[in-house]
Amino acid sequence: MTRAIYPGSFDPVTLGHLDIIKRASKIVDELIVSVLRNNSKSPLFSVEKRVKMLEEVVKDIPNVKVMSFEGLLVDFAKSVDAQIIVRGLRAVTDFEYELQMSQTNMVLDHDIDTIFFTTSLEYAYLSSSTVKEAAYYGADISRFVPEPVIKQVYNKFNLKENRNEQD
Ligand code: COA
C-alpha cells in the first residue's frame, strides 16, 4: 500500500492545493493532507479550523484524509507509515526552497522520498497570503479558494461574500 502525506500550512486551503490533492490522490493508495501546527507563523485560522475546512473540501475523495502534526515532517511520515511526501511547485522560485527541504528530509530519513507536482497553470500565482490580502480588501476570492472556504475567510474579516456577478 502506497501512502503519501501532503504537508503544509493550508491557512486557508486554496484551489491550488486542491488541484495537487486531486492529482496526487490518483497515484497513491492513501493521501494524508497534513496540517502543520507551526508556532513561527501567526495563522488566520486555528489548526482545528484548517483541518475542518480541508475535511469538508476533500469529503468526496475517498482515499484522502486530513490530520494535523507538529515537529519534524519525517517523524510524522514515519508515525503514519507514509513513504512519500507530496509537494507542489508553482514557479522556479519555489524550487530552491523545496529542493533544500526534500534533501534535508532525505538525510533525516532515507526511506522517505518527495514527489513534486507542477501546479496547474491557472493556479501558479496563488498563495494563502494573497488570498487573505485580497479578502481583507473585499475582493472576490471565489476563483482562489474552494466554495466552503469563501465564507469562512470573509467572516474572519467581518465581510459579506463579495462575488463578481458579471463573471
Ligand atoms: N497552491 C497554492 N498555494 C500553494 C501551493 C499550491 N499548490 N503550494 C504552496 N502554496 C503556498 C501556501 O499557500 C503558502 O502560502 P503562504 O506562505 O502565503 O501561507 C506557501 O506556499 C508555503 O507553503 P506551505 O505548503 O504552507 O509550506 P510551508 O513552507 O509553510 O511548510 C512544511 C512546509 C510543512 C512541509 C515544512 O515547513 C515542514 O516540513 N515543517 C516541519 C518541520 C520540519 O520537518 N523541518 C525540516 C524539513 S526542512
Side-chain angles (χ1 to χ4, degrees):
M1 163 141 174
T2 314
R3 184 177 287 125
I5 57 174
Y6 176 36
S9 305
F10 303 105
D11 184 41
V13 55
T14 67
L15 289 173
H17 294 130
L18 186 57
D19 170 56
I20 304 282
I21 293 170
K22 284 180 179 162
R23 288 158 54 205
S25 68
K26 286 185 190 150
I27 63 159
V28 296
D29 296 311
E30 186 174 76
L31 180 71
I32 303 176
V33 182
S34 315
V35 182
L36 174 66
R37 200 178 282 277
N38 187 350
N39 295 328
S40 65
K41 280 190 178 180
S42 17
L44 182 65
F45 293 101
S46 68
V47 171
E48 291 71 25
K49 187 74 197 171
R50 281 180 266 158
V51 166
K52 265 213 172 95
M53 288 192 287
L54 272 159
E55 282 172 344
E56 169 72 16
V57 163
V58 302
K59 68 177 192 296
D60 295 328
I61 317 174
N63 64 335
V64 176
K65 63 182 198 181
V66 186
M67 290 175 77
S68 65
F69 77 102
E70 53 192 323
L72 277 183
L73 186 61
V74 289
D75 289 343
F76 175 68
K78 203 149 222 158
S79 74
V80 294
D81 203 17
Q83 311 83 17
I84 296 168
I85 297 168
V86 166
R87 293 288 289 169
L89 285 177
R90 290 165 298 172
V92 277
T93 41
D94 283 343
F95 183 75
E96 237 174 284
Y97 170 66
E98 293 295 338
L99 183 68
Q100 186 189 29
M101 212 160 55
S102 73
Q103 287 172 336
T104 308
N105 287 330
M106 176 77 96
V107 172
L108 293 173
D109 190 330
H110 220 272
D111 295 331
I112 298 169
D113 255 307
T114 305
I115 293 183
F116 295 103
F117 282 80
T118 50
T119 305
S120 299
L121 267 184
E122 67 255 54
Y123 306 126
Y125 61 89
L126 259 184
S127 81
S128 299
S129 302
T130 51
V131 168
K132 285 180 275 192
E133 187 166 338
Y136 176 79
Y137 290 109
D140 178 5
I141 57 166
S142 60
R143 286 191 203 148
F144 305 154
V145 296
E147 176 71 29
V149 176
I150 299 172
K151 205 172 166 189
Q152 313 280 350
V153 177
Y154 286 132
N155 281 348
K156 279 280 174 190
F157 299 118
N158 293 323
L159 292 166
K160 288 211 166 70
E161 283 193 40
N162 177 8
R163 285 168 200 249
N164 192 342
E165 298 300 343
Q166 289 104 349
D167 289 341

